[in-house]
Amino acid sequence: MRILGALLIIWLIIGGFAAWQRGYFGGMPGSCAQAGTVALTIVAGPLNYTGANPQISCEVPQPSK
């Protein structure tokens, strides 16, 4: 169980490093799509270095006028 936990931490650290290399931590995300892309990049971990470029698109409902 410890090995699995350690592998998960290493996986997420690699994903965080990939997100940092892409410049995702330069400021606050401007939309839910940017926040989702950052999160997905971190979760994808080492897959980022095999050519994966995860991106999310989402649309937030606008308040009624």
Side-chain angles (χ1 to χ4, degrees), residues 2 4 9 11-12 14 16 18 20-25 28 33-34 37 41 43 46-48 50-51 61 63-65:
R2 282 187 188 173
L4 217 51
I9 296 298
W11 182 276
L12 294 175
I14 292 170
W20 175 75
Q21 283 183 322
R22 293 179 181 178
Y24 291 158
F25 297 128
M28 290 294 295
Q34 289 174 341
T37 298
T41 299
V43 171
L47 297 177
N48 290 293
T50 63
S64 60
K65 294 183 180 182

Side-chain angles (χ1 to χ4, degrees), residues 32 58-62:
C32 68
C58 62
E59 190 173 312
V60 177
Q62 298 298 318

